[in-house]
């Protein structure tokens, strides 16, 4: 019964869409990297640096959109580092990715301490406010869920379409996918595998950072060290869940977010009195593992994912 | 012929030199290609053919020398510049993305990268027109991964034609084709030539060079060893130019086959990924006989080799070794039964790259005396064994203690051959034993197999090179989609007749009967 009530409440759906937004940004970012053949395990740290940089920029007086831009630039900088090490130098993508995550997380902590040495609780900023879309926002259930969100959420959903169109309808997308399937096919057609892959990693990292910035600038209004809390790793699983397709991956993000929004609400029902709340916290992850297992059986991994390409080597 | 001499020069290579460390891969090579001709570039593996073409196409940069296309110098090291100038290359290892469609593969990089549209409909129409003009039937919407090797090659050629290539370079294009597919390819090339294209045809197969080219350039050890009009030469003279000496074909003395040492009856094995399993295979390997297995790559050769090598057990059907049904079947059981294996991929399954020659030499026998006792290795014994192989089989190496990855393909294969043949095995599984070797090494390996036949071993020779199978085998089977043809005695079938079986014709009835 309680479950039914939850599913019929507008606040549940609004929360699901809100929770999904940062995941969508970061999942699309990771998907772009992997489609070009690079696994970007820097995602977790890049989300942290994005969350920090956007928030800090606004705290120091920048506008909200300028803050998003700063977050994106910060992500792209770490993306450039990752791309340089993994693409032209061909180093292990696992090691580099984890290194970038550690470095970006530590950089955020360091910069935080440098700029706010005396502060015990982090200062708040004025975050993005919801932009209800006139007319549409009044539709029952769907209205509050989809059309009374902050602009960053609208941007996230618009990006799903943009990334799909670029990947499947443009020469750039074709070349990008080919770089992830067989870099030699790109090289033989006179394009630079290095440029394509580096570009994909840099742009993808920028999106991940915007996903992180969503947390400080739209979902909450402040920065905490633990706030990304494994979302980056979830996004890596979501890319697999979505079989490397933007639409399906975004759907996966929504599904995960719905589990997450649902478990919070389940805790407040009478069941919550008997079951420890930690069990509820586990639910989205357990269900995600299950869904991943079911969905990814037939998924086609980009054939050249994690395979470095050296020009002239046979 | 006079008209061809007057035709314009479309491509001019001048003094191309390329070194890889101490190796001189190309040594001051110069030649012209004219409009509307097919020039064959003939040479052994390692003669520098592919290196030269990779320089021309911009995959490598030459140390010295220049390339001119239609009178304009080509900037070095830029495939894009070569493509723009009208040079199209069909690589030996296809550069296709398997998970993408034919049309997508053809279109990669053909439009400015930042343009917003990709007009698939117009592209599809253009591909269809080119396919019709050049006789290159292929479904533009098909995923490349589902195509046969011959079809993939057609996609590669279409890729070049789509970009208006005026010069086509084909690197060993027939290595993966059936005789029928080869004939179709030649038909396409003849059409291309009449339409004013020029072709460079790289090969080490003399018959094909004689059939398709108007001029032959012979490369030997990185040098241009000769240039002749095809009409003025023959296979023997080309072979001599290529090797620098007379080559000898192995001779098979007549002998009656002995008893069957290994018998398969109606064996089935499971599919593994894209590789078909065996479907009702019956086969007898007789003492003193070489059984050749012909077929296009990927038709179940791997499954048969895995079965005989002990990696795979039959799910249905019977197997007898020396007249007995083996109790269990594993690689160790196969070794114990005296089956020697020369694996298909000497780098991945035949050897362990970073282990020494000694360690590689005892990979199959390290657990037995004298190489180990009571669980302790006897390294001096093992090294002595490696030295014996090195000496007997003329393995050129710095010594038994160096990692095997430092050896050339031919020398690595000689060590593997020595390891396999040292104990005088009764049954020999030779899977692609000469792939990628030069003629000297090929002759050596073939002579060893023939010698094994003479001392009464049963040899199974698996090869994708039909000429090799026909030259060495007492009986030939063709494998297709995991099914085996009847045994054809030596000399009873022409290459064309075997080609029909290799393409799968003749098998339908066999399936119904089974």
């Amino acid at each position: 019964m309680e479950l039914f009530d939850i599913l019929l409440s507008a606040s549940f759906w609004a929360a699901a869409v809100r929770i999904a937004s940062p995941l969508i940004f970061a999942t699309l970012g990771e998907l772009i990297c992997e489609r070009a053949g690079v696994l970007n395990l820097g995602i977790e740290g890049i989300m942290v640096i994005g969350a920090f940089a956007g928030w800090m920029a606004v705290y120091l007086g920048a506008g909200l959109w300028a803050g998003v831009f700063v977050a994106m630039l910060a992500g792209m900088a770490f993306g450039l580092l990752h791309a340089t090490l993994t693409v032209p130098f061909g180093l292990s993508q696992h090691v580099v990715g984890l290194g970038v995550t550690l470095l970006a997380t530590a950089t955020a902590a360091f910069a935080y301490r440098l700029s706010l040495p005396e502060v015990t609780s982090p200062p708040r900023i004025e975050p993005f406010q919801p932009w209800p879309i006139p007319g549409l926002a009044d539709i029952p259930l769907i209205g509050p869920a989809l059309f009374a969100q902050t602009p960053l959420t609208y941007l996230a959903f618009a990006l799903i379409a943009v990334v799909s169109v670029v990947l499947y309808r443009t020469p750039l997308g074709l070349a990008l996918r080919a770089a992830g399937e067989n870099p030699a096919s790109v090289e033989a057609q006179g394009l630079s595998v290095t440029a394509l892959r580096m570009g994909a990693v840099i742009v993808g990292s920028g999106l991940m950072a915007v996903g992180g910035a969503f947390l400080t600038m739209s979902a909450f209004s402040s920065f905490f060290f633990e706030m990304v809390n494994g979302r980056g790793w979830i996004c890596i699983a979501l890319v697999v869940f979505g079989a490397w397709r933007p639409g399906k991956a975004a759907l996966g993000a929504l599904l995960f977010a719905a589990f997450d929004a649902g478990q919070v609400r389940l805790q407040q029902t009478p069941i919550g009195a008997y079951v420890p709340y930690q069990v509820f916290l586990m639910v989205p992850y357990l269900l995600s593992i299950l869904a991943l297992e079911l969905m990814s059986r037939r998924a086609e991994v980009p054939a050249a994912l994690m395979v470095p390409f050296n020009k002239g080597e046979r | 012929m006079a008209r061809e001499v007057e035709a314009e020069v479309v491509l001019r290579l001048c003094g191309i030199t390329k070194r890889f460390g101490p190796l001189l891969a190309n040594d001051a090579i110069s030649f012209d290609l004219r409009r509307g001709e097919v020039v064959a570039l003939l040479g052994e593996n390692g003669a520098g053919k592919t290196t030269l073409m990779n320089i021309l196409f911009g995959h490598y940069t030459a140390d010295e020398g220049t390339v001119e296309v239609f009178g304009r110098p080509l900037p070095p090291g830029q495939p894009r510049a070569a493509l723009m100038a009208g040079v199209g290359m069909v690589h030996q290892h296809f550069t296709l993305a398997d998970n993408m469609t034919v049309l997508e593969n053809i279109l990669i990089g053909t439009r400015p990268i930042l343009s917003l549209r990709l007009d698939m409909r117009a592209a599809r129409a253009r591909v269809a027109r080119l396919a019709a003009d050049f006789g290159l039937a292929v479904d533009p919407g098909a995923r490349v991964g589902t195509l046969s090797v011959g079809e993939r090659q057609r996609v590669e050629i279409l890729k070049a034609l789509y970009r208006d290539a005026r010069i086509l370079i084909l690197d060993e294009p027939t290595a993966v084709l059936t005789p029928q597919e080869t004939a179709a390819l030649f038909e396409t090339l003849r059409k291309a030539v009449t339409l004013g294209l020029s072709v460079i045809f790289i090969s080490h197969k003399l018959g094909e060079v004689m059939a398709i080219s108007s001029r032959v350039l012979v490369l030997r050890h990185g040098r241009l060893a000769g240039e002749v009009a095809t009409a003025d030469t023959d296979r023997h003279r080309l072979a001599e130019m290529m090797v620098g000496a007379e080559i000898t074909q192995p001779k098979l003395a007549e002998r009656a086959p002995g008893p069957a040492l290994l018998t398969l009856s109606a064996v089935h094995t499971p599919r593994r990924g894209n590789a078909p399993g065996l479907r009702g295979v019956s086969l007898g390997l007789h003492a003193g006989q070489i059984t050749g297995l012909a077929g296009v790559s990927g038709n179940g050769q791997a499954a048969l080799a895995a079965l005989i090598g002990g990696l795979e057990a039959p799910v249905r059907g019977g197997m007898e070794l020396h007249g007995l049904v083996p109790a269990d079947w594993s690689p160790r059981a196969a070794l114990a039964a005296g089956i020697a294996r020369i694996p298909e991929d000497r780098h991945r399954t035949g050897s362990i790259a970073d282990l020494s020659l000694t360690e590689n030499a005892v990979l199959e026998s390290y657990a037995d005396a004298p190489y180990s006792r009571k669980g302790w290795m006897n390294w001096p014994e093992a090294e002595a064994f490696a030295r014996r192989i090195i000496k007997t089989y003329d393995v050129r190496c710095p010594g038994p203690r160096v990692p095997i990855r430092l050896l050339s393909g031919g020398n690595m294969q000689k060590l593997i051959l020595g390891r396999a043949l040292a104990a005088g095995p009764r049954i020999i599984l030779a899977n692609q034993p000469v792939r990628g070797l030069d003629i000297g090494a090929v002759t050596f390996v073939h002579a060893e197999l023939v010698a094994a036949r003479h001392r009464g071993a049963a040899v199974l020779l698996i090869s994708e090179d039909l000429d090799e199978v026909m030259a060495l085998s007492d009986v030939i089977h063709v494998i297709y989609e995991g099914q085996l043809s009847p045994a054809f005695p030596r000399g009873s079938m022409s290459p064309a007749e075997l080609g029909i079986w290799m393409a799968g014709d003749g098998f339908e009835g066999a399936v119904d009967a089974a």
Side-chain angles (χ1 to χ4, degrees):
Chain A
M1 256 354 268
E2 283 84 7
L3 196 67
F4 215 64
D5 289 343
I6 291 173
L7 287 176
L8 279 177
S9 76
S11 81
F12 161 73
W13 288 105
V17 170
R18 188 177 63 242
I19 295 169
S21 302
L23 300 177
I24 290 174
F25 279 114
T27 302
L28 290 175
E30 181 68 30
L31 186 139
I32 293 173
C33 298
E34 293 193 19
R35 268 302 175 114
V38 182
L39 176 73
N40 190 343
L41 291 183
I43 184 169
E44 179 82 6
I46 290 171
M47 287 183 81
V48 174
I49 201 82
F52 170 78
W55 168 79
M56 187 44 93
V58 174
Y59 173 71
L60 293 176
L64 283 168
W65 287 107
V68 172
F69 188 68
V70 168
M72 188 178 75
L73 287 184
M76 290 170 88
F78 281 94
L80 175 65
L81 174 68
H82 186 288
T84 308
L85 294 175
T86 53
V87 182
F89 294 161
L91 300 180
S92 156
Q93 295 179 5
H94 290 110
V95 175
V96 170
L98 294 175
V100 166
T101 280
L102 292 174
L103 180 66
T105 309
T107 305
F110 186 59
Y112 178 88
R113 278 291 158 229
L114 273 189
S115 39
L116 302 165
E118 308 284 324
V119 174
T120 46
S121 75
R124 309 184 78 80
I125 58 166
E126 190 60 41
F128 279 105
Q129 297 302 316
W131 274 7
I133 295 177
L136 293 175
D138 300 328
I139 305 171
L141 206 59
I142 303 171
L146 288 179
F147 302 112
Q149 299 281 357
T150 64
L152 274 184
T153 295
Y154 300 139
L155 181 63
F157 280 79
L159 271 174
I160 304 169
V162 172
V163 172
S164 295
V165 169
V166 169
L167 272 183
Y168 292 104
R169 295 287 161 83
T170 67
L172 177 64
L174 179 62
L176 206 68
R177 285 185 290 133
E181 291 291 345
N182 182 3
S185 71
V186 173
E187 161 94 359
Q189 295 277 54
L191 298 177
S192 162
V193 177
T194 308
L196 277 167
R197 286 187 162 181
M198 286 190 72
V201 172
I202 292 169
V203 169
S205 301
L207 286 184
M208 294 167 191
V210 173
F214 183 95
L215 297 173
T216 47
M217 302 174 65
S218 193
F220 309 100
S221 54
S222 195
F223 174 77
F224 310 97
F225 287 116
E226 303 302 324
M227 72 193 314
V228 173
N229 194 21
R231 281 183 176 83
W233 310 135
I234 289 291
C235 292
I236 289 187
L238 286 174
V239 173
V240 181
F241 175 85
W244 288 269
R245 290 173 180 276
K248 278 176 84 178
L251 204 67
L254 267 174
L255 196 66
F256 177 81
F259 291 151
D260 204 15
Q263 63 89 6
V264 174
R265 282 162 180 77
L266 272 179
Q267 283 183 42
Q268 290 147 8
T269 63
I271 312 167
Y274 302 103
V275 184
Y277 76 94
Q278 287 92 341
V279 173
F280 291 102
L281 286 178
M282 276 161 41
V283 168
Y285 297 94
L286 287 176
L287 289 178
S288 300
I289 291 172
L290 196 69
L292 187 64
E293 181 60 30
L294 291 175
M295 290 287 289
S296 62
R297 289 242 173 96
R298 276 168 294 127
E300 283 190 344
V301 190
L305 182 60
M306 293 188 280
V307 182
F309 179 72
N310 295 322
K311 196 172 146 78
E313 190 180 84
R314 261 277 119 80
Chain B
M1 284 291 124
R3 227 185 72 242
E4 275 184 30
V5 175
E6 287 160 21
E8 75 175 302
V9 172
V10 295
L11 171 74
R12 173 165 286 162
L13 295 186
C14 203
I16 298 288
T17 300
K18 174 77 182 173
R19 292 179 198 85
F20 292 110
L23 177 78
L24 195 56
N26 288 156
D27 186 2
I29 295 175
S30 307
F31 71 86
D32 290 348
L33 178 70
R34 291 172 185 281
R35 183 182 157 87
E37 72 170 342
V38 179
V39 165
L41 198 55
L42 181 69
E44 293 192 76
N45 287 304
K49 300 170 301 211
T50 301
T51 303
L52 186 65
M53 290 304 111
N54 278 332
I55 289 169
L56 167 53
F57 194 68
H59 286 311
Y60 299 157
T61 311
D63 297 326
E64 287 160 43
T66 56
V67 180
E68 270 180 31
V69 181
F70 294 104
R72 297 225 185 99
L74 200 62
Q78 296 174 21
R80 182 165 201 86
L83 284 165
M84 292 304 199
V87 179
M89 182 148 172
V90 176
H91 294 80
Q92 187 177 0
H93 306 279
F94 298 148
T95 57
L96 297 171
D98 285 355
N99 284 335
M100 296 166 73
T101 66
V102 168
L103 195 59
E104 285 178 322
N105 267 285
I106 292 173
L107 288 181
I108 297 166
T110 53
R111 301 269 304 139
I113 191 88
L114 291 179
S115 62
L116 287 176
R117 270 190 78 226
L118 195 58
D119 191 343
M120 296 300 256
R121 191 175 305 165
R124 187 182 289 262
R126 187 163 142 71
V127 168
R129 206 162 49 242
L130 286 169
D133 286 352
F134 288 90
L136 294 163
V138 62
D139 170 16
R143 246 171 35 100
V144 166
T146 64
L147 301 183
S148 74
V149 179
E151 287 171 311
R152 286 178 205 211
Q153 186 172 67
R154 278 178 242 155
V155 179
E156 283 280 357
I157 298 174
L158 279 170
K159 263 165 72 177
L161 295 175
Y162 189 89
R163 310 192 68 138
D164 294 319
R166 305 303 296 160
I167 300 166
L168 271 183
I169 304 168
L170 296 109
D171 190 359
E172 302 270 1
T174 61
V176 290
L177 302 184
T178 63
Q180 281 74 10
E181 284 172 326
T182 302
L185 171 69
F186 284 4
E187 208 47 52
T188 296
L189 294 184
R190 290 196 186 99
K191 278 187 188 135
V193 168
T194 50
L195 291 169
L197 276 74
S198 310
V199 176
I200 299 178
F201 183 89
I202 304 176
S203 183
H204 62 254
K205 294 189 183 171
L206 300 166
E208 291 169 358
V209 166
M210 291 299 297
I212 189 70
S213 69
S214 51
R215 204 149 55 93
V216 185
L217 300 167
V218 182
L219 277 187
R220 193 166 75 223
H221 302 312
R223 261 196 216 138
L224 204 54
E227 176 180 349
V228 284
T230 311
D232 301 341
T233 188
D234 59 42
R235 295 173 63 131
H236 291 285
R237 270 185 282 168
L238 284 180
E240 273 184 53
M241 282 167 78
M242 185 160 94
V243 189
E246 191 83 30
I247 50 172
T248 49
Q249 286 285 333
K251 291 198 175 56
L252 291 188
E254 279 294 328
R255 58 175 292 166
L261 300 183
L262 185 145
T263 316
L264 303 178
S265 36
V267 166
H268 289 256
T269 63
R271 249 188 118 72
R272 295 286 178 222
N274 283 329
L278 299 179
R279 290 157 53 198
V281 165
S282 300
L283 174 71
L285 298 183
H286 292 264
Q289 200 176 49
I290 297 181
T291 305
L293 188 72
V296 177
S297 151
N299 268 297
Q301 291 96 329
L304 184 59
L307 174 71
I308 295 178
L311 291 166
E312 187 92 77
V315 285
R316 256 193 297 148
M319 181 166 176
E320 277 184 23
L321 259 174
H322 308 294
L324 301 168
V325 178
D328 76 317
W329 196 231
S330 66
R332 189 148 288 282
L335 280 173
I339 297 180
R341 303 166 304 173
I342 302 167
E344 175 178 14
D345 187 336
R346 56 183 158 267
H347 298 280
R348 280 179 48 205
T349 42
S351 64
I352 302 175
D354 284 312
L355 294 191
S356 69
L357 266 65
T358 300
E359 286 163 322
N360 272 291
V362 295
L363 276 184
E364 295 183 333
S365 50
Y366 66 90
D368 309 324
Y371 309 121
S372 66
R373 276 182 221 284
K374 298 193 174 86
W376 292 93
M377 283 301 297
N378 183 349
W379 286 115
E381 243 349 289
E383 190 168 311
F385 176 56
R387 283 186 194 284
R388 276 203 301 283
I389 296 179
I390 291 168
K391 188 146 177 283
T392 319
Y393 291 86
D394 188 27
V395 182
R396 309 271 169 84
C397 63
R401 296 187 182 185
V402 301
I404 197 166
R405 67 180 153 77
L406 297 180
L407 269 57
S408 74
N411 285 309
M412 202 182 275
Q413 192 72 341
K414 284 182 191 169
L415 187 94
I416 292 169
L417 196 68
R419 177 177 77 198
L421 300 182
R426 303 292 317 278
I427 301 168
I428 297 168
L429 168 66
N431 193 356
Q432 308 282 358
V434 300
R435 179 189 275 172
L437 301 187
D438 63 41
I439 285 196
V442 169
T443 312
F444 180 84
V445 173
H446 284 170
E448 286 297 322
L449 292 180
V450 171
R453 169 189 183 263
H454 282 284
R455 61 168 178 71
V459 180
L460 176 64
L461 171 66
I462 303 177
S463 174
E464 284 150 27
D465 184 345
L466 193 52
D467 292 340
E468 182 189 10
V469 172
M470 294 186 71
L472 286 177
S473 309
D474 296 290
V475 291
I476 297 174
H477 290 273
V478 177
I479 192 163
Y480 176 78
E481 290 283 323
Q483 303 170 68
L484 214 58
S485 74
F488 305 120
R490 181 178 181 78
S492 67
M493 297 285 269
S494 70
E497 286 168 318
L498 287 172
I500 291 170
W501 282 89
M502 284 162 71
D505 294 332
F507 279 97
E508 279 79 1
V511 179
D512 290 346

